[in-house]
């Protein structure tokens, strides 16, 4: 599996053990502060590399120290970073995530260079040797440009997948609509599906997205697991019971595990089981790159059900 991970790349800073923001200018000791590569393209790239795929990242970062750090962390995971262009006029996209004891994590986020990324930043040889193109954050390109990129990939025989970063609403669905007929696998969360479609149930919402031209919709549902919808119907795939440390990156981890499962010949529902197992590994640590999980570990967990 050789993947071009295109789109949103972010540097996350996690602060573990936050129950409240200190008053005024007061300080507070915390358990851990660490950084990790993230984003609907960057986070998925890291996990795919952990799971044995060859991964090449494409997107935009700044020329700042934040960008230096993000590139170094991606490269340490074996992700090829030559395709990440550096924009002097924008800072690298970054988030600060105070993690509560139950794993919840509100966030401060700066869009930064992700907002400056365009199709012109992609090399002509983007698809050479690629088996899969994963587009994280099609809303930053806009549906027309995203559709051009995905259509070009499918015409070259490359499997396509899309993960949307923005919250779901009807206007956002209209903005990215041109990308949907060129999307083999759409990877939203439950709130996005219901917000995009206005459907009463997740299955109905997924069906509405299939009718927009998507080949398969694999929806994450937090602690409930996932729902996978194809033309043959919808299947629920339960999550694994774990002790949650941090839910940051679980959606990206599910996407990576799901896509890796497909590349290994699994049916979509079985691939979703591998996705849930991968998300479970990530949720037990801080950030998408926490711990030392690999393909064998997530396969073992998936098989334990």
């Amino acid at each position: 599996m050789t993947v071009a991970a295109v789109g949103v790349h972010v540097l996350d800073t996690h602060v573990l053990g936050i129950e409240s923001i200190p008053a005024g200018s007061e300080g507070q000791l915390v358990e851990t502060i660490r950084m990790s590569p993230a984003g609907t393209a960057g986070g998925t790239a890291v996990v795919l590399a952990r799971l044995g795929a060859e991964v090449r990242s494409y997107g935009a970062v700044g020329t700042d120290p934040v960008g230096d750090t993000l590139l170094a962390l991606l490269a340490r995971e074996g992700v090829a970073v030559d395709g990440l262009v550096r924009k002097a006029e924008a800072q690298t996209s970054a988030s600060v995530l105070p993690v509560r004891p139950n794993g919840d994590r509100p966030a401060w986020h700066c869009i930064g260079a992700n907002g400056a990324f365009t199709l012109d930043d992609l090399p002509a040889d983007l698809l050479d040797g690629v088996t899969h193109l994963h587009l994280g954050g099609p809303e930053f390109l806009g549906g027309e440009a995203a559709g051009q990129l995905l259509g070009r990939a499918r015409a070259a025989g490359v499997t396509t997948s899309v993960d949307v970063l923005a919250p779901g609403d009807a206007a956002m669905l209209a903005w990215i609509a041109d990308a949907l007929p060129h999307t083999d696998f759409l990877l939203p969360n439950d709130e996005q599906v219901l917000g995009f479609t206005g459907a009463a149930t997740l299955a109905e919402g997924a069906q509405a997205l299939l009718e927009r031209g998507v080949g398969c919709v694999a929806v994450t549902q937090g602690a409930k697991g996932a729902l996978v919808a194809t033309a043959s119907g919808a299947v629920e795939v339960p999550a694994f019971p774990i002790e949650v440390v941090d839910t940051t990156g679980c959606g990206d981890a599910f996407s990576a595990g799901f896509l890796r499962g497909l590349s290994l010949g699994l049916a979509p529902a079985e691939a979703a089981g591998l996705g849930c197992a991968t998300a479970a590994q990530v949720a037990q640590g801080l950030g998408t790159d926490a711990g030392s999980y690999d393909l064998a570990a997530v396969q073992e967990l998936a098989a334990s059900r």
Side-chain angles (χ1 to χ4, degrees), residues 88-108:
E89 71 276 14
Q91 79 149 79
T92 301
S93 180
S95 294
V96 177
L97 303 134
V99 183
R100 297 187 176 116
N102 68 351
D104 287 346
R105 65 324 172 232
W108 292 283

Side-chain angles (χ1 to χ4, degrees), residues 12-292:
D12 278 356
T13 298
H14 313 262
V15 186
L16 185 61
I18 297 297
E19 295 185 355
S20 63
I21 303 299
S25 297
E26 295 179 7
Q28 176 187 344
L29 293 177
V30 296
E31 300 170 32
T32 304
I33 299 176
R34 74 182 301 267
M35 296 179 179
S36 65
T40 43
T44 304
V46 166
V47 184
L48 280 166
R50 286 273 181 101
L51 300 182
E54 178 185 338
V55 187
R56 309 167 188 170
S57 270
Y58 297 90
V61 300
T63 56
D64 50 4
V66 179
D68 296 342
T69 303
L70 178 54
L71 291 176
L73 290 173
L74 287 165
R76 189 172 70 174
E77 294 291 341
V79 177
V81 297
D82 293 348
L84 288 167
V85 299
R86 306 203 73 166
K87 305 271 187 177
E89 71 276 14
Q91 79 149 79
T92 301
S93 180
S95 294
V96 177
L97 303 134
V99 183
R100 297 187 176 116
N102 68 351
D104 287 346
R105 65 324 172 232
W108 292 283
H109 179 66
C110 178
I111 292 174
N114 285 323
F117 175 61
T118 71
L119 291 184
D120 291 338
D121 294 315
L122 294 171
D125 63 355
L126 168 70
L127 299 175
D128 288 0
V130 168
T131 62
H132 193 108
L133 186 143
H134 177 70
L135 177 58
E139 64 270 30
F140 288 92
L141 289 174
E144 183 178 354
Q148 291 174 12
L149 174 61
L150 295 165
R152 178 180 151 208
R154 290 184 79 186
V158 174
T159 300
T160 62
S161 59
V162 169
D163 187 2
V164 181
L165 184 62
D169 61 49
M172 178 56 64
L173 184 64
W175 175 244
I176 64 169
D178 287 350
L180 300 182
H182 307 287
T183 300
D184 292 317
F185 299 96
L186 182 64
L187 304 163
N189 62 39
D190 48 0
E191 294 178 354
Q192 288 172 325
V193 169
L194 296 177
F196 286 151
T197 65
T201 69
L202 204 56
E204 290 172 355
Q207 178 60 40
L209 293 171
L210 292 174
E211 292 170 359
R212 292 276 193 147
V214 175
C216 171
V217 182
V219 190
T220 55
Q221 304 181 79
K224 289 182 62 179
L227 178 142
V228 180
T230 65
S232 301
V235 178
E236 295 270 1
V237 180
F240 291 84
I242 56 165
E243 185 173 339
V244 173
V245 172
D246 175 25
T247 57
T248 306
C250 284
D252 300 329
F254 171 84
S255 296
F258 176 75
L259 297 173
R260 188 70 175 111
L262 293 172
S263 79
L264 296 172
L266 299 182
E270 295 174 315
L274 195 68
C276 288
T278 308
Q281 293 281 354
V282 167
Q284 295 177 80
L286 257 192
T288 308
D289 63 342
S292 58

